[in-house]
Amino acid sequence: MSITREEVAHLGRLARLELSGDELDHFAGQLDDIIGAVARVSEVAAEDVPPTSHPLPLTNVMRADTVRPSLTPQQALSGAPAQEQQRFKVPQILGED
Amino acid sequence: MTEIIKLTAAQTAEKIASGELTAVEVAEAHLARIEAVDEKVHAFLHIDREGALAQARAVDAKRAAGEPLGPLAGVPLAMKDIFTTEGVPTTVGSKILEGWIPPYDSTVTRKLKAADVVILGKTNMDEFAMGSSTENSAYGPTGNPWDLTRIPGGSGGGSAAALAAYEAPLALGTDTGGSIRQPAAVTGTVGVKPTYGGVSRYGMVAFSSSLDQGGPCARTVLDAALLHEAIGGHDPLDSTSIDAPVPPVVEAARSGDVRGMRIGVVKELGGEGYQPGVVQRFEESVEVLRGLGAEVVEISCPSFVYALAAYYLIAPSECSSNLARFDAMRYGLRVGDDGTKSAEEVTALTREAGFGPEVKRRIILGTYALSSGYYDAYYGSAQKVRTLITRDFEKAFEQVDVLVSPTTPTTAFPLGERVDDPLAMYLVDLCTIPVNLAGNAAMSLPCGLAPEDGLPVGLQIIAPALKDDRLYRVGAAVEAAFVKKWGHALLEEAPQL
């Protein structure tokens, strides 16, 4: 199993990372080494072993639906890169047509 | 001045309560120390002089008014820059949050303020807590006060270095795979990863949510216990917070009695590949425990050899999902928004500009491990390994009260040595990672200097979930025995800065 430059570029697109050409070269080699090393988990991952996703046996944790203090719109928008009319202002999401 | 900065947190609080010192004097002494040495150490990313002095003045006013003071009132603390602090910058060591001023406090921040702790500032860290050397910080590395050309550990290198450089008697860390314990080990300080869910994660920037755990850092076991008690406990704002009282950690730290306790030496954590001086100091610690009346046995945890591999699938997978929130829309950096680009393009350009190499590596690795076709082989298998490791711990704790191992395979290595060799860097966390996968509690405390390089070695103590008090009981016993043997605390041997 080896990871190609093209695969890294594809993963970058999935993860919304506009990787540079140098990064693609560099990461492809490194990721290949890392994947090679971590793949050993399959050696002991037998059929009858259940997976653990979390250290606590949690089910949904609910709370009473009561009103409590929260951020003001001004506070919530305080870190916004751009804002307009008390809303987050974002670049276009849909295409022109 | 020198006297004040060398006091423990417990001593400092006592002197403030008795009126021997004022909180303002204590804060000023530490701010002066930071001013004098932090240019060299670079433990801090942000110093909140005004905030610290205002809090200190409030403590002094409380005392003057005869109001009761808590056990850490007026004690200064260095906070890892991963906890949100209202009105004070929080960067997580990343350019993507440069200049961000959180509009709210993390639960831990809020509890510390309520306990009248004086927050001096925010400490350096590997970007998003991904790393073991603090070299992945976007704001430059931190030096190890024992040798400024060496790593202070990571990701919480800034917090550990601040303690070792006497810039603060208390600090906060987070531990996803060893980010509290490994820096503690290589700087000769104390660090505790509480039981998963023991300290609220609300307002703690997420890296790998099923592993991340905030915890105390200090120069003594008792100080760590006092801080643990102040920040621990159930929080309705964190759905993974355990609804149980904080274990009696302070009482355990004051007792330090290990007579009759059963202690297991983990066979798989030690031996080949470990620095001889680390092994030597570890074996001495085991002898010390035996001498104090503990019963020591060897315990095998065969699945631990797969822990590192499982971790480097689980943590990147969770991080690739968690870090999706940095989309340049609601807070943080935004790059390339020139009116012609789509939101998606702006997000990709911003993340490319705002994240450093290790964060990108892990996001890509996690995206790979979670992608269809690979999910079962990688992420799925890693989750099974997690079950096997948990079973190893369960079996071990049927036989012993705590487990011990070296905290790290080596002492602090030179800055730059492993920064572009991810696999070599990942090996640093070999001994600490199994604990995060199972959600147990663990501590690292100093157990001497490695003879070959004169650098600190850490002893790791591991307890079952919710038995954090056992760490403090054993840690206090070992600490007292070593201080008696050496005639002073280990940090006294660190060079003058």
Side-chain angles (χ1 to χ4, degrees):
Chain A
M1 172 74 59
S2 77
I3 298 193
T4 62
R5 198 176 183 277
E6 287 64 39
E7 272 181 287
V8 176
H10 175 64
L11 293 165
R13 278 192 296 278
L14 290 176
R16 306 287 183 270
L17 282 169
E18 187 71 47
L19 298 170
S20 71
D22 284 351
E23 283 177 319
L24 294 177
D25 292 331
H26 201 57
F27 287 158
Q30 288 181 333
L31 288 166
D32 213 39
D33 290 345
I34 297 169
I35 295 284
V38 299
R40 65 181 308 203
V41 290
S42 60
E43 290 171 21
V44 286
E47 281 285 312
D48 60 342
V49 180
T52 297
S53 62
H54 203 274
L56 301 176
L58 288 168
T59 48
N60 285 337
V61 178
M62 312 298 273
R63 65 167 172 82
D65 187 16
T66 47
V67 177
R68 55 185 174 87
S70 64
L71 298 180
T72 62
Q74 198 189 357
Q75 285 174 319
L77 287 162
S78 63
Q83 54 176 294
E84 199 176 293
Q85 294 173 7
Q86 233 182 64
R87 292 176 178 84
F88 293 99
K89 188 181 174 191
V90 302
Q92 59 168 329
I93 291 167
L94 302 171
E96 293 292 326
D97 40 41
Chain B
M1 207 64 124
T2 315
E3 290 293 283
I4 293 178
I5 61 169
K6 292 212 166 171
L7 295 173
T8 67
Q11 290 166 338
T12 304
E14 233 175 72
K15 286 183 192 289
I16 290 170
S18 72
E20 198 180 320
L21 287 172
T22 65
V24 168
E25 280 173 330
V26 171
E28 278 176 345
H30 286 91
L31 290 165
R33 174 68 174 176
I34 291 168
E35 190 139 316
V37 302
D38 208 55
E39 208 168 307
K40 285 186 272 187
V41 180
H42 193 227
F44 284 87
L45 291 178
H46 180 84
I47 295 151
D48 184 19
R49 167 175 279 277
E50 289 317 308
L53 288 172
Q55 177 80 331
R57 279 193 293 270
V59 173
D60 290 336
K62 252 188 171 178
R63 188 182 176 275
E67 290 176 44
L69 296 177
L72 289 175
V75 179
L77 174 136
M79 183 176 266
K80 189 177 183 182
D81 203 23
I82 194 168
F83 293 94
T84 58
T85 40
E86 186 179 348
V88 174
T90 301
T91 68
V92 204
S94 181
K95 288 285 179 199
I96 212 157
L97 280 181
E98 189 168 22
W100 181 57
I101 314 278
Y104 73 109
D105 277 333
S106 73
T107 293
V108 164
T109 310
R110 186 178 51 76
K111 286 193 171 200
L112 289 172
K113 286 180 178 174
D116 291 321
V117 169
V118 173
I119 300 169
L120 296 170
K122 309 294 287 288
T123 58
N124 200 11
M125 56 184 287
D126 286 297
E127 185 177 7
F128 283 98
M130 298 177 198
S132 308
S133 69
T134 312
E135 291 167 291
N136 294 334
S137 167
Y139 303 98
T142 295
N144 187 324
W146 288 81
D147 175 348
L148 293 169
T149 69
R150 289 176 185 266
I151 61 134
S155 65
S159 282
L163 295 170
Y166 297 101
E167 293 172 280
L170 294 176
L172 270 184
T174 60
D175 192 311
T176 305
S179 287
I180 288 175
R181 291 163 285 160
Q182 180 256 354
V186 300
T187 57
T189 57
V190 179
V192 175
K193 186 209 96 74
T195 297
Y196 181 86
V199 174
S200 171
R201 292 188 299 110
Y202 179 74
M204 197 178 100
V205 180
F207 155 21
S208 181
S209 302
S210 78
L211 303 167
D212 295 343
Q213 182 56 62
C217 311
R219 288 193 293 260
T220 70
V221 172
L222 176 60
D223 284 0
L226 291 165
L227 183 54
H228 191 146
E229 196 170 68
I231 60 174
H234 182 241
D235 179 14
L237 297 177
D238 173 3
S239 63
T240 59
S241 164
I242 296 178
D243 195 0
V246 183
V249 292
V250 174
E251 189 191 319
R254 290 195 198 276
S255 139
D257 184 358
V258 295
R259 279 173 301 175
M261 278 186 89
R262 290 164 303 162
I263 293 175
V265 174
V266 184
K267 187 177 150 221
E268 285 75 14
L269 302 179
E272 206 183 324
Y274 287 68
Q275 188 179 322
V278 169
V279 174
Q280 187 185 331
R281 293 304 177 221
F282 171 68
E283 285 172 354
E284 280 172 15
S285 311
V286 172
E287 281 317 304
V288 162
L289 282 166
R290 220 176 241 132
L292 291 169
E295 183 192 329
V296 182
V297 294
E298 188 181 80
I299 295 280
S300 177
C301 297
S303 300
F304 281 17
V305 295
Y306 296 96
L308 194 70
Y311 177 86
Y312 278 99
L313 286 163
I314 292 168
S317 295
E318 292 189 11
C319 107
S320 73
S321 165
N322 262 328
L323 270 59
R325 75 190 55 174
F326 296 96
D327 59 4
M329 298 301 137
R330 293 152 299 157
Y331 43 77
L333 188 68
R334 179 182 287 182
V335 169
D337 185 15
D338 58 5
T340 70
K341 294 186 181 65
S342 69
E344 195 175 313
E345 287 168 320
V346 169
T347 298
L349 287 168
T350 301
R351 289 160 66 83
E352 169 63 11
F355 290 142
E358 181 63 16
V359 173
K360 289 179 190 169
R361 263 193 297 267
R362 294 203 194 184
I363 289 174
I364 295 169
L365 183 60
T367 305
Y368 178 81
L370 292 176
S371 54
S372 66
Y374 297 118
Y375 181 93
D376 287 341
Y378 293 113
Y379 184 65
S381 297
Q383 287 188 310
K384 290 183 171 190
V385 168
R386 198 167 183 177
T387 304
L388 297 174
I389 287 164
T390 305
R391 286 179 184 169
D392 277 359
F393 272 121
E394 282 166 3
K395 262 177 77 182
F397 289 127
E398 281 168 13
Q399 300 166 67
V400 294
D401 298 308
V402 295
L403 293 166
V404 291
S405 77
T407 309
T408 56
T410 70
T411 56
F413 47 86
L415 287 162
E417 192 181 89
R418 303 188 188 189
V419 72
D420 200 33
D421 185 351
L423 276 177
M425 188 70 91
Y426 296 170
L427 283 173
V428 171
D429 298 328
L430 202 59
C431 308
T432 46
I433 277 174
V435 175
N436 300 81
L437 291 171
N440 298 334
M443 168 188 283
S444 178
L445 80 158
C447 63
L449 303 177
E452 59 269 42
D453 55 22
L455 293 167
V457 176
L459 168 69
Q460 178 174 237
I461 307 164
I462 307 169
L466 291 172
K467 304 292 182 194
D468 306 44
D469 50 306
R470 291 185 194 168
L471 307 174
Y472 291 94
R473 183 173 292 274
V474 177
V478 172
E479 178 182 65
F482 275 130
V483 169
K484 193 172 162 198
K485 183 177 162 190
W486 301 326
H488 51 73
L490 190 70
L491 268 178
E492 292 290 319
E493 293 182 43
Q496 293 283 318
L497 281 166

